[in-house]
């Protein structure tokens, strides 16, 4: 076994932070940055699309449904290729990081839209009617009544989606971004004799990362913690 | 504005490549589908009603397989197969093509874990009394599972299994990471050598939409057949 070679100080630095000291974050750090960014972008986008799918205007409902059905049936790799290889044909360049972020955001938002839609449908009709009678505006009903309850029901489903996002960040290496997977590949190519050790290290790192995601998300299953995201009081008044 | 030239898709140089890529994607999908169904069924049964140690081991397998990226699992099997597989399996893998074999192994293990969870869920959803009644009527345990529980469980599991199949079909595109010439690889190749990336990507996208649509359609047919004589309360 060649664990010492694989876990040399230099390799560990590259695996965890990449060339951070030279201003180029890589490895696990880049994977985390990418994942968190995609989550932050795809959740609001997915929520908007999911709400449009429930809109009373057919003109808005149909495009939203098409968006979901098309994006859910295309592999993420193909989305990444669209985002990275297609723009130059149309005369502009998109950086590697931006294109991966766009592709993963589009792909994830379609799934999140379906989850949000399910959550919105699970909100009891009477709550919305009661809120309307109390004189809340449409926007207030959405923010104060519908979304907090909808998200509370879909936290477990969202955890699964977020784990998929972190797993999908590994596709970044296909267009040459030095994320965790790419660093592992480079270390493997340099050593040649220790593929088992290198890739086991990668698998364990991803496993630990996703375990952190599930643990963090479990905290949001408590309404008090989730409500902060909707600027609601921490305790019911 | 970009002037598209779709003829590249059926040119003698790139057309056969694209077609072979599509065939390869379908072949990988079907192979992984059957293997992951077998793995998922067995592990799901163990998770549902196995011994304590078997349950612990299978839950570790499921957790590890589901929480790591499939592409890293593919790379792992591709580079470590020669260290891990016994020689007869390695020979078989090399006859099949080591890279395709690595994809089949990795994706079957990855999706097998998801299928196992679906099967466990649907088996647990069936009332415990069903099994007890079957055993009381004199059926053996294996018979009771095969004749009474699995047909009901499959009925419940069909929608989730269809989602898994679609996700599996999409994940075969990861095979290009180790150079298997499936359809995304062909699209990338045409982009690199013919500078016709948009046309090639459009073809690949359309192909995946059709493939996944077909899987969903087959799933709907199966679902219809399984539930048509169901007694509705």
């Amino acid at each position: 076994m060649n664990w010492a070679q694989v876990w040399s100080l230099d390799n560990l630095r590259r695996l965890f932070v990449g060339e951070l000291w030279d201003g180029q974050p890589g490895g696990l750090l880049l994977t985390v940055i990418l994942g968190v960014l995609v989550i932050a972008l795809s959740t609001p986008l997915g929520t908007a699309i999911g709400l449009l799918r429930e809109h009373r205007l057919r003109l808005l409902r149909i495009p939203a449904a098409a968006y979901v059905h098309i994006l859910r049936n295309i592999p993420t790799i193909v989305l990444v290729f669209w985002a990275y290889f297609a723009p130059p044909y149309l005369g502009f360049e998109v950086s590697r990081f931006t294109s991966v972020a766009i592709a993963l955001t589009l792909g994830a938002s379609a799934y999140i839209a379906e989850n949000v839609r399910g959550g919105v449908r699970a909100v009891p009709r009477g709550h919305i009617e009661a809120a309307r009678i109390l004189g809340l505006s449409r926007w207030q009903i959405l923010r104060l009544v519908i979304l907090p309850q909808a998200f509370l029901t879909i936290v477990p489903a969202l955890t699964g989606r977020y784990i998929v996002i972190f797993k999908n960040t590994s596709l970044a290496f296909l267009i040459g971004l030095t994320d965790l997977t790419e660093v592992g590949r480079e270390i493997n190519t340099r050593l040649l004799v220790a593929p088992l050790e290198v890739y086991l290290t990668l698998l364990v790192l991803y496993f630990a990362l996703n375990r952190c995601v599930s643990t963090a998300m479990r905290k949001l299953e408590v309404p008090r913690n989730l409500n902060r995201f909707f600027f609601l009081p921490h305790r019911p008044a | 504005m970009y002037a598209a030239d779709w003829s590249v898709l059926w040119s003698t140089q790139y057309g056969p490549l694209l077609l072979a890529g599509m065939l390869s994607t379908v072949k990988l999908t079907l192979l992984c589908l059957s293997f992951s169904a077998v793995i998922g069924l067995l592990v799901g049964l163990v998770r549902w009603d196995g011994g304590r140690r078997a349950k612990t081991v299978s839950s570790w397998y499921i957790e590890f397989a589901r929480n790591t990226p499939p592409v890293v699992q593919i790379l792992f099997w591709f580079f470590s197969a020669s260290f891990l597989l016994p020689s007869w399996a390695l020979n078989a893998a090399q006859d099949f093509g080591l890279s395709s074999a690595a994809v089949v192994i990795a994706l079957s293990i990855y999706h097998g874990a998801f299928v196992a969870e679906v099967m466990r869920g649907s088996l647990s959803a069936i009332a415990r009394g069903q099994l007890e009644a079957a055993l009381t009527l004199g059926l053996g345990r294996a018979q009771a599972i095969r004749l009474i529980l699995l047909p009901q469980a499959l009925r419940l599991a069909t929608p989730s299994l269809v989602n898994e199949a679609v996700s599996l079909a999409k994940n075969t595109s990861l095979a290009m990471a180790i150079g298997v010439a499936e359809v995304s690889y062909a699209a990338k190749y045409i982009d690199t050598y013919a500078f016709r990336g948009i046309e090639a990507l459009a073809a690949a996208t359309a192909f995946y939409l059709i493939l996944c649509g077909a899987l969903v359609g087959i799933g709907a047919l199966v679902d219809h057949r399984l539930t048509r004589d169901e007694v509705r309360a």
Side-chain angles (χ1 to χ4, degrees), chain B residues 11 22 26 105 126 145 151 153 162 168 192 229:
Chain B
S11 65
M22 292 175 182
V26 172
I105 296 175
I126 298 166
I145 290 175
V162 172
L168 192 155
T192 311
D229 41 25

Side-chain angles (χ1 to χ4, degrees), chain A residues 142-159:
Chain A
L142 189 65
R143 186 172 73 83
L144 301 172
V145 180
I146 297 179
L147 286 183
Q149 297 195 71
F151 270 88
L152 195 60
T153 32
I154 63 168
V155 166
L158 281 184
T159 309

Side-chain angles (χ1 to χ4, degrees), chain B residues 20-32:
Chain B
M22 292 175 182
L23 278 177
S24 172
T25 295
V26 172
K27 204 176 77 178
L28 283 176
T29 306
L30 292 179
L31 272 176
C32 297

